[in-house]
Amino acid sequence: MNLTQKILKAHLVSGELAPGNKIGIRIDQTLMQDATGTMAFLQFEAMGMSRVQTECSVAYVDHNMSQFGPENHNDHLYLQSISAKTGVHFSRAGNGICHQVHLERFGNPGGTLLGSDSHTTTDGGLGMLSIGVGGLDVALAMGGEPFVMDCPKVIGVRLTGELKPWVAAKDVIFKVLETLTTKGNVGCILEYFGPGVESLSVPERSTITNMGAEVGVTTSIFPSDERTLAYMTAQGREEAWTPLAADPDAEYDRLLEIDLGALEPLTAAPSSPDNIQTVRESEGIEVHQVLVGSCTNSSFRDLMIVADVLKGRTIHPQVQMGITPGSRQVFEMIASAGALQTFIASGCRILESACGPCIGQGMSPGDERVSVRTFNRNFDGRSGTRNDLVYLASPETAVACALTGKLTDPRRLPELFGIEYPDFTWPAKFHVDDSMIIPPAESADDVEVIRGATIGEPPINTPMPEQINGKVLIKVGDKITTDHVMPAGPFLKHRSNIPKYSEFVFTIFNAGPGPTFAERASDWRDEGGHGVIVGGESYGQGSSREHAALCPMYLGVKAKIVKSIERIHLANLVNAGIAPLLFMDDADYDAIDEGDRLRIDDLPGQMRAGETVVVRNETKDREFTVRHGLTEEETRIVLMGGRLNAVKEARGNA
Ligand code: MIC
Ligand code: SF4
């Protein structure tokens, strides 16, 4: 067996372990962050659940920390109080980015982790099966429900050799992205193995598993070995370590081979993480901003490499540089190692330990200015600037650009500045201080949940109508991300208030003078119509935010018809009671225009009867057939108007 199969087998509660089947697995741990966590907790409450049933559940505050207006702090207070009441550990604002902290303090080899954030996959670096999902699915797992998923195909990635100086773990995942791209990998897991694995530390492995989210796979995993033991020992958690690996004769559904020694510094050019180029070929492009941080690249190692290069130097006058330590542990360690002093002296701006600019919370670049970031996503506008030009890169490449003011291959640092590759050694012990993680209250009775005025209710959908009186509210192209659907940046603070947040659906496409998407949708809804969204390939890439389903649902959208759809978004649509329908012929996509009236007769009957649904385009006077790949249970949920209705009915509190 491969490692994925071993962990799945140990957690299997229903179904048969063969690709293509639905399986249910037991979830040991859950994670949520504030931007998805408030809605997840509101849904947990709405389903009538009280204390969590997992081995360990943690709620983090790391996304919504700018605190312009009362919304963010209201969210923090709600999360802290409801965590205490329901049995969840609470990681306070300032303690760090959920994935970095979870890796440090909670993750364990061989366990299962479900998180309401797509980069929950970070813990795969420890040998934990870690999956990102929407908030409602985390709420269900907290309530003790098994997680139902497609039994994955496992892609083996055999690593050989060792990285050369100035080439980093980030370049490994860029290589994978170049090969597999961001689309077409739904239902797969990436499993790393081979002699090259031992040369990578756990945080480096986690950079690789973190960005598996960009590949669109369910998760990514590394074996648990002596390097894993060393990391867990340094965290004082060696008792949670266990060795794990695939059997020597394990089989994979597909095999990739990467010679680490043959890699060179790579970058993801604007504006997709799979737009991979060598840094060499992009050299010379002017850079105005460099940001080091995010859950991908903000470990102690990453920051020490950057500090070592900067030591005794000042960043280029044209560049503004920001540093975001991944956790309070990393922050304290760079402080005691003298790296913080180096950052300050070299002119860096020190940001707090949080997601920050990665999710458009500050440091948006100027119009059409190049920003080089060690982050994982460079979707248009995610930085908070509509016409941004974000290059993703390793810390090594980022710091080279900060010194030269141009895209620079870090292998030229010795020749340009006489800088040798930093000689970094992992400390035997990390700085461990869990005082910012508040354990839950012993008894729920002693805790009063604090609900500020900006905390709303989770939206409840109505059952699917017999006839869809549809209008195409928007037609979009390929690779539409959930950032396009539900922007973050300045709008992120409305996550707990669906009516307000819904005003910003598809904001990036609202450039012209006409009515916004939200205005078109709500006018049509108020006339008794049903909204339809039309899209291309790989719709719903990126984040796990269920708001990309909940807000369109609130605006009356009943169906999305797209060429293909990504895993988490598909699950979120089902949970919200929106029909996810797939084109069977590209010509049908081509024949639709925004504003077309689409009629679907007896949608419930058609969905129950089989895989296909006939749609009539009344504007174009043509009919076409689409399909839905849903199971009977998923169909039932969509037709009931979403999972909240289904769970309430099952629990007798409808
Ligand atoms: C992201 O990186 O896009 C986020 C913000 O962390 C999201 C979650 C969210 O939208 O709250 C993710 O990756 O799932
Ligand atoms: Fe936070 Fe960015 Fe990581 Fe998302 S990708 S969890 S916004 S640091």
Side-chain angles (χ1 to χ4, degrees):
M1 280 199 281
N2 55 47
L3 176 53
T4 306
Q5 289 165 334
K6 289 185 189 188
I7 302 180
L8 287 175
K9 187 166 173 223
H11 290 82
L12 195 68
V13 290
S14 66
E16 203 192 312
L17 269 187
N21 288 346
K22 287 276 176 199
I23 53 170
I25 59 167
R26 182 168 42 79
I27 295 300
D28 302 327
Q29 299 189 355
T30 65
L31 155 175
M32 56 165 83
Q33 39 85 345
D34 52 330
T36 53
T38 52
M39 204 38 68
F41 260 129
L42 288 166
Q43 296 179 119
F44 184 81
E45 291 185 282
M47 289 186 293
M49 295 172 167
S50 45
R51 288 290 276 198
V52 293
Q53 305 294 319
T54 47
E55 280 170 17
C56 170
S57 288
V58 192
Y60 294 89
V61 173
D62 55 359
H63 282 64
N64 256 321
M65 290 178 42
S66 310
Q67 302 192 207
F68 291 109
E71 293 87 350
N72 296 172
H73 195 203
N74 283 345
D75 284 354
H76 305 168
L77 292 166
Y78 169 68
L79 286 170
Q80 180 163 353
S81 56
I82 187 117
S83 293
K85 195 173 186 77
T86 55
V88 173
H89 290 266
F90 179 73
S91 173
R92 299 173 61 187
N95 199 43
I97 305 175
C98 55
H99 308 303
Q100 174 70 25
V101 179
H102 209 86
L103 188 79
E104 292 168 355
R105 308 304 310 142
F106 294 100
N108 59 31
T112 51
L113 168 67
L114 205 68
S116 61
D117 191 285
S118 61
H119 293 107
T120 301
T121 56
T122 310
D123 279 62
L126 273 178
M128 186 172 206
L129 196 85
S130 322
I131 302 176
V133 292
L136 181 51
D137 285 328
V138 170
L140 286 165
M142 289 181 357
E145 297 284 329
F147 174 60
V148 177
M149 62 188 279
D150 289 319
C151 182
K153 285 195 180 136
V154 184
I155 303 177
V157 188
R158 185 163 182 275
L159 302 180
T160 58
E162 245 182 78
L163 293 170
K164 296 241 168 66
W166 306 107
V167 185
K170 189 68 161 275
D171 300 311
V172 180
I173 187 62
F174 282 152
K175 191 72 200 167
V176 174
L177 274 156
E178 185 181 53
T179 313
L180 296 179
T181 77
T182 57
K183 59 187 176 92
N185 305 307
V186 174
C188 297
I189 286 185
L190 289 172
E191 181 171 317
Y192 293 84
F193 70 105
V197 166
E198 65 181 321
S199 67
L200 300 169
S201 63
V202 166
E204 289 170 294
R205 295 175 189 183
S206 295
T207 294
I208 296 172
T209 58
N210 173 282
M211 273 191 88
E214 278 49 74
V215 184
V217 291
T218 306
T219 190
S220 308
I221 193 161
F222 270 83
S224 163
D225 56 9
E226 293 298 316
R227 296 296 299 261
T228 321
L229 175 60
Y231 179 80
M232 297 197 68
T233 307
Q235 293 289 356
R237 301 202 294 120
E238 58 275 20
E239 78 293 341
W241 178 76
T242 164
L244 282 175
D247 293 331
D249 58 349
E251 290 190 357
Y252 294 96
D253 296 286
R254 182 176 169 192
L255 206 58
L256 302 182
E257 183 114 15
I258 297 179
D259 174 0
L260 300 176
L263 293 177
E264 66 170 301
L266 298 171
T267 177
S271 291
S272 175
D274 64 359
N275 195 6
I276 305 296
Q277 303 173 354
T278 60
V279 178
R280 204 164 26 95
E281 77 192 274
S282 328
E283 265 204 332
I285 294 175
E286 299 246 319
V287 172
H288 284 85
Q289 186 184 65
V290 172
L291 299 177
V292 177
S294 91
C295 57
T296 319
N297 273 125
S298 56
S299 67
F300 180 57
R301 176 230 171 250
D302 289 340
L303 299 197
M304 290 305 289
I305 299 278
V306 172
D308 219 87
V309 172
L310 288 178
K311 205 171 175 88
R313 300 181 172 82
T314 308
I315 53 175
H316 190 277
Q318 159 189 299
V319 174
Q320 48 170 238
M321 181 166 185
I323 305 281
T324 318
S327 66
R328 189 160 140 271
Q329 178 181 82
V330 171
F331 219 148
E332 296 209 53
M333 285 171 65
I334 59 165
S336 29
L340 186 55
Q341 159 68 31
T342 303
F343 290 138
I344 297 168
S346 59
C348 295
R349 291 165 61 181
I350 313 298
L351 308 178
E352 62 180 330
S353 191
C355 299
C358 179
I359 193 61
Q361 303 300 292
M363 286 200 84
S364 303
D367 288 305
E368 288 168 17
R369 296 295 167 184
V370 168
S371 175
V372 176
R373 301 173 166 214
T374 66
F375 307 169
N376 47 33
R377 291 184 171 146
N378 58 349
F379 308 141
D380 325 278
R382 180 173 160 102
S383 67
T385 299
R386 193 184 281 270
N387 50 4
D388 58 9
L389 292 171
V390 176
Y391 284 75
L392 305 175
S394 68
E396 284 81 344
T397 300
V399 69
C401 303
L403 287 179
T404 60
K406 295 196 163 69
L407 265 177
T408 304
D409 186 327
R411 291 174 301 177
R412 296 212 304 122
L413 285 174
E415 138 211 345
L416 290 174
F417 298 97
I419 303 173
E420 288 313 313
Y421 190 61
D423 184 17
F424 173 77
T425 322
W426 283 99
K429 285 275 168 228
F430 294 151
H431 180 86
V432 174
D433 169 8
D434 288 335
S435 57
M436 292 280 279
I437 299 174
I438 305 180
E442 296 275 314
S443 153
D445 301 341
D446 310 332
V447 187
E448 195 199 322
V449 177
I450 304 173
R451 288 173 216 276
T454 51
I455 311 267
E457 296 284 330
I460 310 276
N461 203 351
T462 48
M464 189 63 77
E466 288 299 311
Q467 173 164 317
I468 296 291
N469 173 21
K471 189 197 258 181
V472 179
L473 298 171
I474 192 166
K475 179 181 175 183
V476 288
D478 291 343
K479 296 214 279 193
I480 291 299
T481 71
T482 52
D483 277 81
H484 291 108
V485 186
M486 257 357 288
F491 315 112
L492 188 67
K493 68 177 188 176
H494 301 303
R495 282 290 177 90
S496 311
N497 182 343
I498 298 293
K500 183 71 197 164
Y501 198 28
S502 297
E503 292 171 19
F504 308 107
V505 177
F506 283 124
T507 287
I508 190 143
F509 298 119
N510 284 342
T516 63
F517 176 90
E519 286 161 351
R520 294 198 301 277
S522 44
D523 287 351
W524 182 238
R525 176 197 59 194
D526 297 347
E527 280 176 45
H530 308 120
V532 178
I533 291 170
V534 170
E537 295 283 4
S538 193
Y539 185 92
Q541 283 192 359
S543 92
S544 68
R545 61 192 72 155
E546 60 187 337
H547 300 75
L550 295 179
C551 293
M553 176 264 265
Y554 176 80
L555 294 173
V557 170
K558 287 288 180 194
K560 292 200 181 186
I561 313 180
V562 298
K563 291 187 188 171
S564 64
I565 194 159
E566 294 296 313
R567 174 185 64 90
I568 308 180
H569 190 57
L570 173 69
N572 288 339
L573 290 179
V574 171
N575 285 348
I578 295 177
L581 303 173
L582 302 171
F583 285 106
M584 295 171 74
D585 185 345
D586 285 0
D588 296 329
Y589 168 87
D590 297 339
I592 295 189
D593 289 306
E594 198 168 297
D596 282 2
R597 297 285 304 271
L598 302 183
R599 202 184 74 218
I600 310 180
D601 291 325
D602 190 16
L603 179 60
Q606 291 200 63
M607 284 182 74
R608 278 191 211 103
E611 279 241 323
T612 55
V613 169
V614 176
V615 182
R616 171 140 197 89
N617 185 336
E618 293 189 318
T619 312
K620 299 283 159 58
D621 193 21
R622 72 189 292 276
E623 235 169 49
F624 60 100
T625 304
V626 295
R627 70 184 174 83
H628 70 87
L630 304 183
T631 61
E632 229 173 83
E633 175 61 4
E634 288 164 337
T635 303
R636 192 180 73 84
I637 291 167
V638 168
L639 299 181
M640 284 186 79
R643 198 175 290 270
L644 272 188
N645 292 337
V647 173
K648 281 186 178 179
E649 187 191 75
R651 296 181 148 236
N653 57 355

